[in-house]
Amino acid sequence: MHDRGMGSTFAGRTALVTGAGRGIGRALAVGLAAEGADLVLVARSRDELEGTAALVSTKATVIPADLGELSQVAAVAAEAGAVDILINNAAVPWPAGPTATIDPAEFATAVAINVTAVAALTIGLLPGMLERRWGRIVNLSSGAAQAPAFLNGGNAYTTTKSAVEGHTVNLAAELAGTGVTANVYRPGTVATAMMTWVRDGGGTAMSAEVREYFTDVQQRGHLLTPEQSAGYLLARLGGEDTGQTWHAEDGIIARLESDKT
Ligand SMILES: NC(=O)c1ccc[n+]([C@@H]2O[C@H](COP(=O)([O-])OP(=O)(O)OC[C@H]3O[C@@H](n4cnc5c(N)ncnc54)[C@H](OP(=O)(O)O)[C@@H]3O)[C@@H](O)[C@H]2O)c1
């Protein structure tokens, strides 16, 4: 794990990160703790969450939960206590494949994890943020929402990420002037388990063009590390911007390119 050094941007704050056991979520959690935040770490795999908690020196509370189950999402919000920073990072890329072959029940589960849980955690934690007149909500999206035709064979994922973006920007308008901001983060193309799944796993049910694109990105060495992507988001999180769609690539790819020259 890249050592970001200790800072105090989020000292005294508590950050809840979903999907905090690996990938971008783990890097975000570690980065938030490095800036002084206490953590609430949520995902299904307790061992992975405990692995993240072991990397930080601030208080880290592990809450294993399946975000596809609304009752478990409500329990997370209740157990978390006062949360100042909510990072809705957990998501699934499935079901993949031609839409006519998709199981509607799997589609509904993807919506539950990728969209309903995002809104439900906000609903559960927003009253406290409004009362304290400070809050930061960031919802992870994807380039799939920017270019909905691109992820051919990834209809469920594209649908959910487009929904998350609409939800977030609408929420930001509602929250204007409250001290609580809501922003979208598109994290770029990042070397994680999800990316491996899309390129080499169940995601091979997506179109050949999609697999070729991600294979090419990997072979050119253009995948971001989770820490690089997390760093770009964390640099923006303390500010007052709201209703924005932040992209990793704008900053990081440009910097990687200029580092090479
Ligand atoms: N990697 C990329 O290139 C990329 C590109 C664009 C957008 N994104 C977005 O970035 C975010 C993080 O992606 P990632 O690549 O880091 O994914 P990842 O490596 O697959 O990690 C996903 C995390 O979400 C958790 N999760 C999945 N299903 C869950 C459920 N039902 N309940 C609770 N937690 C659940 C996983 O833990 P458990 O399995 O233990 O539950 C894991 O901690 C996602 O929103 C993704 O859509 C990623």
Side-chain angles (χ1 to χ4, degrees), residues 18-25 42-45 48 65-68 88-92 113 140-143 157 161 187-195 223:
T18 67
R22 59 177 187 259
I24 299 165
V42 180
R44 288 167 305 177
S45 310
E48 292 189 352
D66 184 346
L67 295 172
N88 280 305
N89 164 80
V92 293
I113 298 166
L140 275 276
S141 182
S142 161
Y157 186 75
K161 292 304 187 183
T189 307
V190 189
T192 67
M194 182 182 289
M195 181 46 58
L223 283 175

Side-chain angles (χ1 to χ4, degrees), residues 1-120:
M1 188 68 53
H2 179 64
D3 180 9
R4 291 167 44 86
M6 286 301 290
S8 57
T9 310
F10 302 118
R13 310 284 189 196
T14 296
L16 188 154
V17 182
T18 67
R22 59 177 187 259
I24 299 165
R26 172 176 278 190
L28 284 168
V30 170
L32 283 158
E35 288 296 332
D38 289 338
L39 302 174
V40 180
L41 306 171
V42 180
R44 288 167 305 177
S45 310
R46 179 186 286 277
D47 56 336
E48 292 189 352
L49 295 177
E50 286 174 349
T52 301
L55 295 171
V56 306
S57 52
T58 57
K59 181 182 173 203
T61 304
V62 164
I63 307 183
D66 184 346
L67 295 172
E69 298 289 338
L70 200 46
S71 60
Q72 293 191 36
V73 183
V76 168
E79 198 182 330
V83 169
D84 309 294
I85 300 168
L86 169 61
I87 312 277
N88 280 305
N89 164 80
V92 293
W94 46 260
T99 298
T101 68
I102 295 302
D103 177 352
E106 281 192 22
F107 195 107
T109 303
V111 172
I113 298 166
N114 292 8
V115 185
T116 309
V118 168

